[in-house]
Amino acid sequence: MPAPSLHVSRHPAVLHKLAILRDENTEPKKFREVVRELSWLIGYEALADVGVRALEIRTPMEPMTAHQLDERIGLVPILRAGLGMVDAMLELMPTAQVWHLGLFRDERTLRPVEYYNKLPDSATVDLCLILDPMLATGGSATAAIEVLKKWGAVRIKLVNLIAAPEGVEAVTSAHPDVAIYCAALDRGLNDRGYIQPGLGDAGDRQFGTGRAD
Ligand code: PRP
Ligand code: URA
């Protein structure tokens, strides 16, 4: 049964772009372009409930009450693959802070290994969006959420492109307060922890670092 905090986009533009992203013939340049476009679309959905406050302005016609953002937003891309999602999210929320977290998945144990974290002593934002194209076992996402909660983050959302049910279950059982936004919920993981049908390795496909054999 889908987790109550899971939001899977059904937008036709998302479905169309996903086909390009998944296709094994899509080259890194096009892949990066589609990661960016999908991030914009999913990010837009994830940001739908951000708080705003009233702002008095004048149009050329008359005064009016408009709105401005009332929450400090932090974007937390998980290196490397999350990097490709940052520019689109900054277009949506130009005043957001970007805090990078370096985590890679040990391909033998499938456990996350932290290698970069420059967060200051206490939280500087009201809402954190963790950016990572892939939610597989959920190990990396859970580790990132734990880091952010220790930092003092109160409101956290996870923005993915493709999620596996195993990852959704791992995140929602450990952190039911964290909503997950994604473009697709796939069938499951293979014995190497890769999402099926998935898209392969999101980092390698963005940065052209896949093995040549
Ligand atoms: C990928 C992906 C996630 C993680 C997902 O990163 O971008 O961070 O794996 O897997 P999990 O849910 O099982 O933890 P990877 O470790 O391959 O690092 P990379 O981005 O540097 O390629
Ligand atoms: N990381 C990826 O990049 N792809 C997967 O399918 C699983 C983890």
Side-chain angles (χ1 to χ4, degrees):
M1 186 184 315
S5 56
L6 175 67
H7 305 263
V8 185
S9 179
R10 300 303 306 160
H11 196 289
V14 169
L15 299 179
H16 181 87
K17 290 175 194 299
L18 266 174
I20 301 168
L21 193 75
R22 291 180 188 277
D23 191 323
E24 64 178 355
N25 294 315
T26 301
E27 298 293 337
K29 181 173 186 294
K30 183 69 181 171
F31 190 90
R32 289 192 296 272
E33 207 175 290
V34 180
V35 165
R36 177 193 174 97
E37 292 166 355
L38 280 169
S39 302
W40 210 102
L41 293 166
I42 305 302
Y44 181 79
E45 293 181 1
L47 289 164
D49 64 352
V50 172
V52 291
R53 64 167 171 262
L55 173 72
E56 301 305 321
I57 62 165
R58 281 191 75 89
T59 76
M61 303 298 167
E62 61 183 25
M64 70 166 285
T65 303
H67 297 93
Q68 68 179 173
L69 285 176
D70 196 26
E71 284 193 274
R72 297 168 303 168
I73 295 172
L75 305 176
V76 184
I78 307 301
L79 306 177
R80 292 174 297 166
L83 284 176
M85 303 175 72
V86 175
D87 283 356
M89 297 298 298
L90 278 174
E91 277 167 18
L92 275 167
M93 291 286 157
T95 56
Q97 301 173 23
V98 182
W99 295 105
H100 300 85
L101 263 191
L103 291 171
F104 71 86
R105 189 174 76 155
D106 180 319
E107 291 303 333
R108 197 175 43 84
T109 62
L110 299 184
R111 295 302 307 153
V113 179
E114 185 179 315
Y115 63 93
Y116 184 84
N117 175 353
K118 290 267 188 191
L119 290 168
D121 288 345
S122 54
T124 56
V125 295
D126 303 305
L127 169 64
C128 282
L129 298 190
I130 299 174
L131 310 180
D132 195 330
M134 308 305 274
L135 177 62
T137 64
S140 305
T142 307
I145 293 166
E146 280 160 13
V147 167
L148 292 176
K149 284 190 172 174
K150 273 195 202 124
W151 186 45
V154 181
R155 231 154 80 76
I156 301 174
K157 296 185 181 202
L158 190 53
V159 183
N160 302 121
L161 299 187
I162 300 187
E166 293 89 334
V168 171
E169 167 62 24
V171 169
T172 50
S173 59
H175 301 285
D177 54 309
V178 174
I180 303 170
Y181 293 79
C182 63
L185 179 65
D186 275 10
R187 191 174 71 246
L189 302 178
N190 69 9
D191 57 4
R192 292 190 303 125
Y194 274 80
I195 300 177
Q196 306 293 299
L199 51 71
D201 189 301
D204 284 343
R205 292 199 61 187
Q206 282 182 77
F207 301 117
T209 51
R211 284 209 323 239
D213 56 347

